Amino acid sequence: MTWDNDLKLSHPPTPQEVEATWEKYPDAAAALVVSPTPYGSCADLGAIARICHDRGKPLIVDEAWGAQLPFHPDTPTWAMSAGADLCVVSVHKMGIGFEQGSVFHLQGDLVDPVRLEHCADILSTTSANVMLYAAMDGWRRQMVQSGHDLIDRALALTRRVREQIEELPGLYVLEEELTSHEASHDLDIQHVLVDVSGLGITGYQAHDWLRENCRLDFGTTDHRRLEITMSIADDEWTVQRLMDGLRLLIDAAPDFPPSPPVLIPDEGELDLETVMLPRDAFFGPVEDIPIEESVGRIVAELATPYPPGVPVFLPGERINEASVKYLRSGVDAGMVLPDPGDASLGTIRVVKE
């Protein structure tokens, strides 16, 4: 089976890429790395932390999908154990918490705790919901007391799910492809990434059909894959519902209409040039123009396909042709793309010339 460039774009940065980025931007305040990615692939955070610390700069890790990592040795390395200075964790993803239940961890002396607290105060409410805090603290207590056994059971269940899906016709579970690439240091197997292109359909179509007909929801979807997220909340009943739904999908797939192709750019073509400070682009005069006419213009707001919720455009970047083709073709195939402007309807918000 061959893989196109989109799989490469799912990987976190290598230590070599981080080193090269520091050489290019030596005055940057810190390095920010997403690990695990929504696909479950993980960066070599230990090596990246050493690279940052050799320059006296902090490593910040967006570990939204890593709430369970500190509590079992068979999961990828927790960012704090790898030497990160700051990591942000979404308890409501791989942990058990209400939506918006997130925490950050701080260690070392490269991030000023007073300034960090001030930044958090700017963004947080003075009327916090006690249920959010109670749920996070209850989950923390549960993990300390029983986390190893709960995660152990979840990992065993996940391994069985991966094997069962692999036996279904037209479906393929990715694992080696995610770990053999140089940018993936480890893999969180609880992200079960399933290629559905063998059924002649897209991940967008599979997700929409399973949600509508089987009341099953998924994490990341793209033009050829959908991602099943396993957690300590899963059991034999949820696994049976999943497998029943996938079998029904296989039966229904031959009747799906053809989907237009998504034009995947070559690796690096989405590394856009920043030509204006993000703040200046966001708060300055803007206009909405057809997305096909935006090549060469400076984007004024985030353009974030969801899932997985990773921006293609950041304010202040100059739009190139490859990124426009990717977004336009993705929307036509089923990608969800909210603002800027109304990109799903063909317009995008740019800095007024």
Side-chain angles (χ1 to χ4, degrees):
M1 182 173 290
T2 59
W3 299 99
D4 44 15
N5 290 313
D6 64 323
L7 193 59
K8 298 177 183 178
L9 296 174
S10 72
H11 287 286
T14 65
Q16 293 79 9
E17 289 169 335
V18 173
E19 182 83 58
T21 304
W22 275 119
E23 292 294 329
K24 187 176 181 180
Y25 303 104
D27 296 328
L32 172 62
V33 173
V34 177
S35 180
T37 70
Y39 286 158
S41 53
C42 302
D44 187 350
L45 295 179
I48 293 174
R50 290 190 290 273
I51 291 170
C52 295
H53 295 165
D54 286 346
R55 289 168 169 75
K57 299 296 181 70
L59 169 63
I60 303 171
V61 179
D62 181 345
E63 202 174 62
W65 291 98
Q68 83 285 17
L69 301 186
F71 303 105
H72 199 285
D74 292 342
T75 60
T77 303
W78 184 37
M80 292 287 97
S81 297
D85 301 275
L86 180 66
C87 85
V88 183
V89 176
S90 298
V91 175
H92 60 266
K93 288 188 171 73
M94 296 302 288
I96 303 296
F98 293 122
E99 193 73 24
Q100 304 178 52
S102 297
V103 298
F104 57 79
H105 301 274
L106 174 68
Q107 65 182 1
D109 57 5
L110 293 179
V111 176
D112 183 352
V114 175
R115 182 172 183 181
L116 180 63
E117 183 177 6
H118 288 168
C119 291
D121 286 343
I122 292 174
L123 300 173
S124 62
T125 177
T126 57
S127 304
N129 190 319
V130 68
M131 290 191 295
L132 296 178
Y133 286 105
M136 288 188 290
D137 192 51
W139 170 80
R140 176 204 58 79
R141 183 173 185 269
Q142 182 186 40
M143 287 295 99
V144 170
Q145 293 180 333
S146 311
H148 182 279
D149 292 343
L150 290 170
I151 296 172
D152 206 53
R153 182 183 63 81
L155 290 173
L157 193 63
T158 298
R159 294 185 186 100
R160 182 154 58 84
V161 165
R162 298 175 79 94
E163 293 172 358
Q164 290 178 0
I165 296 174
E166 188 69 22
E167 294 174 356
L168 297 178
L171 301 183
Y172 178 76
V173 179
L174 282 76
E175 185 161 340
E176 182 180 350
E177 295 81 4
L178 294 170
T179 56
S180 60
H181 189 281
E182 63 175 0
S184 187
H185 179 68
D186 204 349
L187 178 68
D188 181 1
I189 66 168
Q190 290 178 269
H191 293 264
V192 185
L193 194 61
V194 181
D195 191 299
V196 300
S197 59
L199 300 176
I201 63 175
T202 67
Y204 302 125
Q205 289 175 304
H207 185 199
D208 291 345
W209 190 90
L210 286 164
R211 173 184 282 178
E212 180 179 354
N213 294 277
C214 303
R215 300 297 185 263
L216 292 171
D217 212 346
F218 296 83
T220 297
T221 57
D222 60 30
H223 70 296
R224 64 185 296 174
R225 291 172 286 264
L226 57 81
E227 181 245 350
I228 299 155
T229 306
M230 302 289 294
S231 75
I232 62 173
D234 283 296
D235 55 22
E236 298 294 337
W237 181 76
T238 63
V239 168
Q240 189 61 53
R241 280 196 62 205
L242 169 66
M243 300 307 299
D244 289 344
L246 292 177
R247 292 186 182 96
L248 290 172
L249 172 68
I250 292 169
D251 293 338
D255 296 327
F256 284 18
S259 176
V262 179
L263 302 178
I264 303 297
D266 290 332
E267 190 173 10
E269 286 190 298
L270 294 184
D271 186 11
L272 304 182
E273 179 188 10
T274 300
V275 295
M276 180 182 289
L277 290 175
R279 180 182 180 87
D280 293 342
F282 184 85
F283 287 109
V286 300
E287 59 181 336
D288 293 343
I289 64 173
I291 191 169
E292 290 80 7
E293 299 176 10
S294 65
V295 175
R297 300 292 296 272
I298 302 171
V299 71
E301 292 186 6
L302 293 171
T304 308
Y306 195 89
V310 178
V312 173
F313 295 153
L314 296 173
E317 292 183 333
R318 191 178 301 281
I319 300 169
N320 65 11
E321 186 175 0
S323 60
V324 168
K325 288 182 177 179
Y326 168 59
L327 291 178
R328 182 69 270 177
S329 64
V331 169
D332 291 342
M335 174 193 294
V336 177
L337 183 63
D339 278 338
D342 195 343
S344 293
L345 297 179
T347 65
I348 194 163
R349 188 158 297 152
V350 297
V351 175
K352 185 176 290 187
E353 292 183 335

